[in-house]
mmCIF file of all heavy atoms in Angstrom:
data_model
loop_
_atom_site.group_PDB
_atom_site.id
_atom_site.type_symbol
_atom_site.label_atom_id
_atom_site.label_comp_id
_atom_site.label_asym_id
_atom_site.label_seq_id
_atom_site.Cartn_x
_atom_site.Cartn_y
_atom_site.Cartn_z
ATOM 1 N N GLY A 341 -6.358 -4.366 6.303
ATOM 2 C CA GLY A 341 -7.417 -5.189 5.679
ATOM 3 C C GLY A 341 -8.077 -4.750 4.456
ATOM 4 O O GLY A 341 -9.096 -5.272 4.033
ATOM 5 N N LYS A 342 -7.542 -3.661 3.825
ATOM 6 C CA LYS A 342 -8.009 -3.296 2.542
ATOM 7 C C LYS A 342 -7.571 -4.195 1.511
ATOM 8 O O LYS A 342 -6.417 -4.503 1.316
ATOM 9 C CB LYS A 342 -7.658 -1.815 2.197
ATOM 10 C CG LYS A 342 -8.316 -0.753 2.879
ATOM 11 C CD LYS A 342 -7.867 0.597 2.344
ATOM 12 C CE LYS A 342 -8.640 1.786 2.921
ATOM 13 N NZ LYS A 342 -8.266 3.021 2.359
ATOM 14 N N THR A 343 -8.478 -4.781 0.630
ATOM 15 C CA THR A 343 -8.105 -5.596 -0.472
ATOM 16 C C THR A 343 -8.963 -5.139 -1.683
ATOM 17 O O THR A 343 -10.052 -4.641 -1.562
ATOM 18 C CB THR A 343 -8.513 -7.058 -0.132
ATOM 19 O OG1 THR A 343 -9.864 -7.304 -0.239
ATOM 20 C CG2 THR A 343 -7.918 -7.549 1.171
ATOM 21 N N ALA A 344 -8.356 -5.258 -2.847
ATOM 22 C CA ALA A 344 -8.988 -4.697 -3.958
ATOM 23 C C ALA A 344 -8.332 -5.178 -5.340
ATOM 24 O O ALA A 344 -7.083 -5.564 -5.314
ATOM 25 C CB ALA A 344 -9.085 -3.220 -3.934
ATOM 26 N N ILE A 345 -9.026 -4.875 -6.481
ATOM 27 C CA ILE A 345 -8.422 -4.979 -7.764
ATOM 28 C C ILE A 345 -8.641 -3.649 -8.410
ATOM 29 O O ILE A 345 -9.540 -2.821 -8.106
ATOM 30 C CB ILE A 345 -8.945 -6.129 -8.571
ATOM 31 C CG1 ILE A 345 -10.513 -5.991 -8.774
ATOM 32 C CG2 ILE A 345 -8.506 -7.424 -7.979
ATOM 33 C CD1 ILE A 345 -10.999 -7.003 -9.723
ATOM 34 N N ASP A 346 -7.911 -3.365 -9.510
ATOM 35 C CA ASP A 346 -8.092 -2.124 -10.366
ATOM 36 C C ASP A 346 -9.065 -2.597 -11.487
ATOM 37 O O ASP A 346 -9.118 -3.694 -11.930
ATOM 38 C CB ASP A 346 -6.768 -1.680 -10.921
ATOM 39 C CG ASP A 346 -5.709 -1.493 -9.901
ATOM 40 O OD1 ASP A 346 -6.021 -1.095 -8.727
ATOM 41 O OD2 ASP A 346 -4.511 -1.613 -10.239
ATOM 42 N N THR A 347 -9.799 -1.509 -11.999
ATOM 43 C CA THR A 347 -10.655 -1.699 -13.126
ATOM 44 C C THR A 347 -10.425 -0.548 -14.130
ATOM 45 O O THR A 347 -9.589 0.474 -13.825
ATOM 46 C CB THR A 347 -12.097 -1.688 -12.754
ATOM 47 O OG1 THR A 347 -12.529 -0.445 -12.442
ATOM 48 C CG2 THR A 347 -12.380 -2.715 -11.653
ATOM 49 N N ASP A 348 -11.078 -0.573 -15.214
ATOM 50 C CA ASP A 348 -10.995 0.535 -16.208
ATOM 51 C C ASP A 348 -11.488 1.752 -15.576
ATOM 52 O O ASP A 348 -11.239 2.896 -16.105
ATOM 53 C CB ASP A 348 -11.736 0.246 -17.440
ATOM 54 C CG ASP A 348 -11.145 -0.922 -18.222
ATOM 55 O OD1 ASP A 348 -9.875 -1.149 -18.131
ATOM 56 O OD2 ASP A 348 -11.838 -1.474 -19.165
ATOM 57 N N TYR A 349 -12.255 1.712 -14.429
ATOM 58 C CA TYR A 349 -12.838 2.888 -13.879
ATOM 59 C C TYR A 349 -11.961 3.459 -12.779
ATOM 60 O O TYR A 349 -12.387 4.498 -12.129
ATOM 61 C CB TYR A 349 -14.155 2.584 -13.423
ATOM 62 C CG TYR A 349 -15.132 2.175 -14.570
ATOM 63 C CD1 TYR A 349 -15.327 0.785 -14.856
ATOM 64 C CD2 TYR A 349 -15.774 3.075 -15.186
ATOM 65 C CE1 TYR A 349 -16.173 0.458 -15.902
ATOM 66 C CE2 TYR A 349 -16.552 2.821 -16.181
ATOM 67 C CZ TYR A 349 -16.796 1.431 -16.625
ATOM 68 O OH TYR A 349 -17.613 1.148 -17.644
ATOM 69 N N GLY A 350 -10.801 2.892 -12.502
ATOM 70 C CA GLY A 350 -9.910 3.443 -11.457
ATOM 71 C C GLY A 350 -9.232 2.317 -10.668
ATOM 72 O O GLY A 350 -9.502 1.184 -10.770
ATOM 73 N N LYS A 351 -8.289 2.864 -9.801
ATOM 74 C CA LYS A 351 -7.527 2.002 -8.972
ATOM 75 C C LYS A 351 -8.321 1.582 -7.753
ATOM 76 O O LYS A 351 -8.983 2.423 -7.078
ATOM 77 C CB LYS A 351 -6.191 2.673 -8.548
ATOM 78 C CG LYS A 351 -5.280 1.813 -7.874
ATOM 79 C CD LYS A 351 -3.878 2.607 -7.650
ATOM 80 C CE LYS A 351 -2.956 1.853 -6.810
ATOM 81 N NZ LYS A 351 -2.436 0.637 -7.510
ATOM 82 N N ASN A 352 -8.253 0.249 -7.384
ATOM 83 C CA ASN A 352 -8.881 -0.250 -6.210
ATOM 84 C C ASN A 352 -10.388 -0.012 -6.173
ATOM 85 O O ASN A 352 -10.983 0.243 -5.077
ATOM 86 C CB ASN A 352 -8.276 0.361 -4.958
ATOM 87 C CG ASN A 352 -6.784 0.054 -4.719
ATOM 88 O OD1 ASN A 352 -6.324 -0.982 -5.231
ATOM 89 N ND2 ASN A 352 -6.011 0.978 -4.176
ATOM 90 N N THR A 353 -11.007 -0.088 -7.281
ATOM 91 C CA THR A 353 -12.488 0.175 -7.318
ATOM 92 C C THR A 353 -13.349 -0.953 -7.019
ATOM 93 O O THR A 353 -14.582 -0.858 -6.847
ATOM 94 C CB THR A 353 -12.840 0.837 -8.753
ATOM 95 O OG1 THR A 353 -12.164 0.054 -9.717
ATOM 96 C CG2 THR A 353 -12.423 2.253 -8.904
#
Side-chain angles (χ1 to χ4, degrees):
K342 283 187 177 181
T343 71
I345 58 171
D346 306 331
T347 73
D348 291 342
Y349 297 93
K351 188 174 173 71
N352 298 331
T353 42

